[in-house]
Amino acid sequence: MPGGPGKLGKPKKVRSFWKELPILVIIALALALLIKTFLVQAFSIPSDSMQNTLQRGDRVLVDKLTPWFGSEPERGEVVVFHDPGGWLGETQTTDSGPVAEGIQKALSFIGLMPSAEEKDLIKRVIAVGGDTVSCKRGGKVVVNGKPLDEPYIFPGNTPCDEEPFGPIKVPEGRIWVMGDHRQDSRDSRYHQNLNNGTVSVDDVVGRAFVVAWPIDRWSTLPVPGTFDQPGLGAAAAMAPSAVGLAGALPIVLWRRRRLIAKVRAEAEVRPDRLTADC
């Protein structure tokens, strides 16, 4: 009979797991590559320059998304950036063998390990474009006239005794960076022969926001409270206002003199008019 059981099509054959596995792997790799390129990437800490905030061998996750929307590094953030030129000139590469090297390249391609070929550094942003930063021997780091209390500095270190600096005006579009382990960090202080030690925001890969590995060291990397103190950004923010005020003051005084002269002239014609309101 038409439409009877004999007309039913054959049931579709379920594809085996082993045939679907390559497709799943390809999709997973594509997603991982997409995440690495635009969202988050893992980086390994290669030195002691950020102790005790970060230890050698820690894996941090770096936010690469916000720079795509025009966000620039802010004071207090821990950022990863490309070598501005010669900062890692003395770094020696180690031969880990072809197998280990192949595994690292594969994992770094999808963002699960840092690339051995990339020359990246990780430091804390101390000052941004428009800021004036300095530090005298025996004193604190000063940004726009505000001394910083830096509890994140490695115990026993001083803010800058081994390499005092400044005052330095940070150009727009650049940042001044320092390691938390001040006595073991070749940071902006030691590269003032190139752009006064500042780093272009275009070289910044992103902000490190969490320590993801090892598990017992899991923690977030918030901006320390010292960078939230009132008036820290006042120097840069007040500059345009000060210029505007200086330009407006003569106009205000001129108008006031004209108003007073007008009131006095009218008072001579009408002596009964009150003039105290001028």
Side-chain angles (χ1 to χ4, degrees):
M1 294 177 59
K7 294 295 184 179
L8 294 177
K10 294 182 179 180
K12 292 183 179 180
K13 187 177 181 180
V14 179
R15 185 179 297 174
S16 70
F17 169 77
W18 296 109
K19 288 183 178 180
E20 290 187 348
L21 182 59
I23 299 176
L24 295 175
V25 171
I26 292 174
I27 294 175
L29 291 176
L31 290 174
L33 183 60
L34 179 66
I35 291 173
K36 170 202 169 181
T37 304
F38 299 104
L39 302 178
V40 176
Q41 185 174 356
F43 283 86
S44 176
I45 306 304
S47 69
D48 300 328
S49 68
M50 282 297 293
Q51 285 181 324
N52 271 338
T53 303
L54 300 172
Q55 301 291 342
R56 185 191 296 261
D58 283 353
R59 298 290 196 275
V60 297
L61 297 183
V62 174
D63 168 25
K64 300 176 68 176
L65 177 63
T66 50
W68 282 85
F69 294 94
S71 176
E72 294 189 355
E74 298 182 1
R75 304 178 195 91
E77 293 181 345
V78 176
V79 297
V80 171
F81 56 95
H82 300 311
D83 186 351
W87 286 36
L88 293 175
E90 300 178 358
T91 302
Q92 297 181 349
T93 57
T94 57
D95 185 8
S96 55
V99 176
E101 184 178 348
I103 295 174
Q104 181 176 22
K105 286 184 176 181
L107 294 177
S108 65
F109 179 74
I110 60 176
L112 297 180
M113 280 191 69
S115 172
E117 299 174 357
E118 292 180 356
K119 293 186 175 181
D120 296 323
L121 302 96
I122 185 166
K123 306 290 181 186
R124 188 180 300 277
V125 179
I126 301 299
V128 298
D131 290 344
T132 298
V133 60
S134 64
C135 186
K136 296 181 179 180
R137 183 174 284 107
K140 297 181 177 181
V141 175
V142 178
V143 178
N144 297 330
K146 297 289 184 178
L148 301 180
D149 292 323
E150 301 183 280
Y152 46 79
I153 290 180
F154 186 77
N157 280 195
T158 59
C160 69
D161 281 6
E162 73 292 344
E163 192 68 26
F165 62 90
I168 292 174
K169 179 79 171 182
V170 181
E172 294 295 337
R174 306 191 71 86
I175 55 177
W176 176 273
V177 297
M178 300 174 72
D180 290 355
H181 194 164
R182 297 289 162 82
Q183 270 68 55
D184 194 12
S185 176
R186 305 290 291 185
D187 46 43
S188 288
R189 297 168 293 167
Y190 294 90
H191 300 282
Q192 296 182 48
N193 59 321
L194 180 64
N195 296 309
N196 277 343
T198 61
V199 177
S200 171
V201 296
D202 293 335
D203 288 330
V204 176
V205 177
R207 174 190 176 184
F209 64 94
V210 67
V211 180
W213 188 264
I215 295 177
D216 60 351
R217 293 232 345 114
W218 190 94
S219 61
T220 58
L221 297 171
V223 173
T226 188
F227 293 95
D228 295 328
Q229 59 177 301
L232 184 63
M238 288 179 59
S241 301
V243 173
L245 178 61
L249 185 59
I251 298 176
V252 173
L253 293 176
W254 174 73
R255 291 189 62 183
R256 180 172 177 81
R257 283 198 297 268
R258 287 195 61 184
L259 177 62
I260 293 175
K262 182 178 179 181
V263 170
R264 287 177 176 173
E266 291 179 353
E268 292 177 357
V269 178
R270 298 175 56 186
D272 58 332
R273 182 169 180 172
L274 294 176
T275 60
D277 60 347
C278 66

